[in-house]
Amino acid sequence: MKYEVEQKHPVAGFEAVEAKLAAMGAKIGPVAEELDLYFAHPVRDFVESDEALRIRRKGIKTLITYKGPKIDQTTKTRQEIELPLGEQAGTPERWRELLEVLGFEAVAEVRKQRRKADIAWRGDAVTLTLDDVDRVGTFVELEIVSDEEGVEQAKKHLATLAGELGLSGSERRSYLELLLER
């Protein structure tokens, strides 16, 4: 079973983090738009169970993602299953139709402009994203994908990397939760 070990930090801007990443030799990728459409389960309250189901559009790619409940009180560590759905025109709409026929209901769409950097930190591969989320704000996310045995080490590594980058105030709520709270 794979876990997404994640820390998300609100920031006023990206300049300081970009400078520190450049000093570490990291290359930040170009801006890409991601559209995440979240669904409510027909018989289970995802808010209460702390789960999520979404369809993500990244350019022509479409993915479906299940996120399990967070497993601790300090990070956004959770089981994640992500599968490609295809790259044909109309794929997101056809999958939305299928889910709605099965009783799922579209809740909200989260739109973000995202830039990524991959860096090695203390033996772990870290994906770092600079996210400008419509109607929510700007954030830096740090993520390590780990098996169950490596979760605690991954959390420690993310905490030290966050400190090195001058990040504080970790946010455990998802972009969807932050958007719905507005």
Side-chain angles (χ1 to χ4, degrees):
M1 185 177 316
K2 293 291 180 192
Y3 288 86
E4 171 189 61
V5 183
E6 178 185 302
Q7 282 189 1
K8 175 172 48 202
H9 301 271
V11 294
F14 298 124
E15 296 79 16
V17 172
E18 289 172 329
K20 289 179 182 181
L21 287 170
M24 296 169 75
K27 301 224 184 311
I28 302 170
V31 174
E33 183 175 61
E34 292 185 358
L35 302 172
D36 294 338
L37 181 61
Y38 286 87
F39 290 87
H41 195 282
V43 296
R44 190 161 73 217
D45 185 345
F46 279 167
V47 173
E48 287 212 7
S49 65
D50 193 27
E51 297 171 283
L53 179 68
R54 73 169 183 229
I55 293 175
R56 171 172 283 173
R57 289 182 282 168
K58 294 180 358 178
I60 63 169
K61 290 184 179 179
T62 304
L63 304 141
I64 191 165
T65 307
Y66 164 79
K67 292 180 176 250
K70 296 175 200 88
I71 63 170
D72 67 44
Q73 296 299 312
T74 58
T75 65
K76 286 187 59 192
T77 302
R78 59 194 342 181
Q79 180 186 16
E80 180 179 90
I81 302 169
E82 187 166 73
L83 303 169
L85 296 179
E87 298 182 7
Q88 298 81 18
T91 296
E93 294 78 14
R94 288 194 308 270
W95 276 93
R96 178 183 182 156
E97 181 182 10
L98 172 66
L99 290 174
E100 288 176 342
V101 165
L102 293 173
F104 288 83
E105 181 181 338
V107 174
E109 184 172 69
V110 174
R111 181 183 302 264
K112 62 182 164 279
Q113 304 296 315
R114 171 172 270 187
R115 293 183 299 151
K116 287 188 176 188
D118 293 312
I119 58 174
W121 183 256
R122 302 205 171 165
D124 276 319
V126 179
T127 299
L128 183 142
T129 61
L130 307 175
D131 291 338
D132 186 353
V133 185
D134 286 3
R135 301 178 315 210
V136 176
T138 51
F139 298 84
V140 175
E141 282 189 2
L142 309 171
E143 178 184 310
I144 296 172
V145 175
S146 175
D147 58 19
E148 191 170 359
E149 293 77 36
V151 165
E152 290 305 315
Q153 177 178 303
K155 290 192 305 189
K156 290 176 188 172
H157 289 177
L158 290 184
T160 60
L161 178 57
E164 185 75 18
L165 294 172
L167 300 170
S168 61
S170 180
E171 174 60 68
R172 288 187 71 241
R173 292 171 293 176
S174 69
Y175 293 140
L176 175 63
E177 290 170 304
L178 293 169
L179 177 66
L180 293 176
E181 288 175 7
R182 292 191 156 256

